[in-house]
Amino acid sequence: MVGGALPASNVLRACQALVRNPRSWRCLRVQPSWSRVKMQASQHAVSTYHGRQPGFRSSNIAAHAQAGGASPAAPKPEESKDQFCRMCGTKMQLAIPKGEAAWRHVCSSCGYIDYFNPKMVVGCIVEHEGKILLCKRAIEPCKGKWTLPAGYMELRESSAEGAARETWEEANCQVEILAPYSHFDIPVIGQAYILFRAKLVAPYTFSPGEETLQTVLFHPNEIPFDQIAFSSISLALQHYVEDMKRGQYRVHHGVVSKQPGSGPNEIGGFELQDHFVVNSEVPAVGKL
């Protein structure tokens, strides 16, 4: 909810909606029992929230509203990313369309606006017999570092379908999606990371895919956090291990704020802000 508090009831309704449409989840082998999960929100549930209690309000929107005007235009980019219109082939130009405040790539002939939007990265935290599946990357960036099986969501697939597909492509394993786990936004690079809790299904095998050097099930206490590729993955794993120790899974949402010029997972180069935590009654399988 932009410019207002984010009621925990909205999170509950969104999560419940995912399990009320069995057609969209059939291929992902979601357990029917998950629909009986009761999500609970309390002051304790958001105790790690870094912003102003009890919820998040956009300081930028509030400032513009107080000033009585629309959002100011962003600085003009140095050059256009797209040279030609995908609709008619005419040269594109940078312009601010009527009613907007941002520079867009606009066709000088037909007026088509080519929007550049954030990309969604989806993946799975696969837990098996109390251990977590990690993949050692075979490609840049961060070649040789460990990560969760995840990648860019494709057109015409849901986020859960994309997470299951990426897990198959990177770790050659079939999984059952159990529930949403974390959603971390990284505005500075225009990405959103959505990770799901998942478990291995028959034949319970895994092996490196084309973009993976090695696949290993790590005990939570043995996860090589100093060798994790990306900040969002490191944060998700830290919270997951914490939830295992608590004996209860939670749902996390937050914003990864990065220092200018910092690396993908540079120590001291990022922090988690606006961190919401929603409790659930789902017990952790591999309690530590």
Side-chain angles (χ1 to χ4, degrees):
M1 180 182 296
V2 178
L6 180 63
S9 59
N10 286 1
V11 178
L12 169 59
R13 287 194 290 269
C15 291
Q16 290 176 331
L18 293 175
V19 297
R20 287 175 178 166
N21 184 2
R23 292 184 179 180
S24 63
W25 289 81
R26 188 173 299 161
C27 66
L28 302 175
R29 298 170 55 88
V30 174
Q31 298 182 89
S33 61
W34 192 77
S35 62
R36 296 193 294 270
V37 173
K38 262 177 75 177
M39 305 299 292
Q40 296 182 341
S42 64
Q43 289 297 322
H44 175 71
V46 294
S47 60
T48 53
Y49 174 58
H50 291 180
R52 182 176 299 174
Q53 295 287 4
F56 169 75
R57 289 180 180 269
S58 170
S59 58
N60 290 333
I61 297 298
H64 301 327
Q66 186 175 7
S71 302
K76 183 178 181 180
E78 294 183 0
E79 60 181 11
S80 173
K81 293 183 178 181
D82 276 0
Q83 295 297 317
F84 301 99
C85 177
R86 68 175 71 186
M87 305 301 290
C88 70
T90 304
K91 186 173 178 61
M92 301 289 284
Q93 64 181 7
L94 288 169
I96 300 179
K98 183 178 180 180
E100 297 196 28
W103 290 91
R104 308 292 188 187
H105 297 80
V106 183
C107 177
S108 58
S109 177
C110 70
Y112 172 74
I113 303 175
D114 200 350
Y115 291 94
F116 289 86
N117 302 112
K119 293 184 178 296
M120 184 178 293
V121 179
V122 292
C124 290
I125 302 177
V126 182
E127 183 179 340
H128 182 67
E129 297 181 345
K131 297 182 178 181
I132 299 172
L133 181 66
L134 296 183
C135 301
K136 179 175 285 189
R137 291 176 60 82
I139 60 174
E140 297 293 354
C142 302
K143 182 178 180 180
K145 295 293 185 70
W146 293 95
T147 187
L148 293 168
Y152 290 119
M153 180 177 168
E154 300 283 359
L155 294 174
R156 292 177 288 278
E157 71 179 1
S158 71
S159 55
E161 288 170 336
R165 173 187 54 76
E166 285 289 343
T167 303
W168 169 256
E169 292 178 355
E170 297 190 1
N172 288 317
C173 66
Q174 299 182 52
V175 297
E176 179 175 326
I177 300 289
L178 300 174
Y181 183 72
S182 64
H183 176 164
F184 294 142
D185 296 319
I186 314 180
V188 70
I189 60 174
Q191 292 184 1
Y193 276 72
I194 297 180
L195 300 173
F196 294 84
R197 288 197 300 107
K199 68 177 183 179
L200 288 178
V201 296
Y204 307 101
T205 57
F206 55 89
S207 61
E210 287 295 322
E211 299 180 353
T212 304
L213 294 172
Q214 188 179 1
T215 51
V216 176
L217 280 171
F218 283 94
H219 186 278
N221 294 334
E222 299 174 349
I223 293 176
F225 280 103
D226 60 335
Q227 301 175 42
I228 299 298
F230 308 111
S231 56
S232 54
I233 300 300
S234 179
L235 288 167
L237 286 171
Q238 290 176 36
H239 288 298
Y240 196 87
V241 172
E242 180 183 338
D243 286 352
M244 292 179 73
K245 292 179 179 179
R246 286 168 47 92
Q248 184 182 64
Y249 295 117
R250 299 176 294 176
V251 180
H252 301 264
H253 181 281
V255 177
V256 181
S257 176
K258 287 182 169 289
Q259 296 292 330
S262 61
N265 191 26
E266 184 177 328
I267 296 177
F270 66 91
E271 68 172 339
L272 183 62
Q273 298 178 343
D274 302 329
H275 180 203
F276 290 92
V277 182
V278 180
N279 288 329
S280 77
E281 293 181 350
V282 183
V285 177
K287 182 176 181 181
L288 298 181

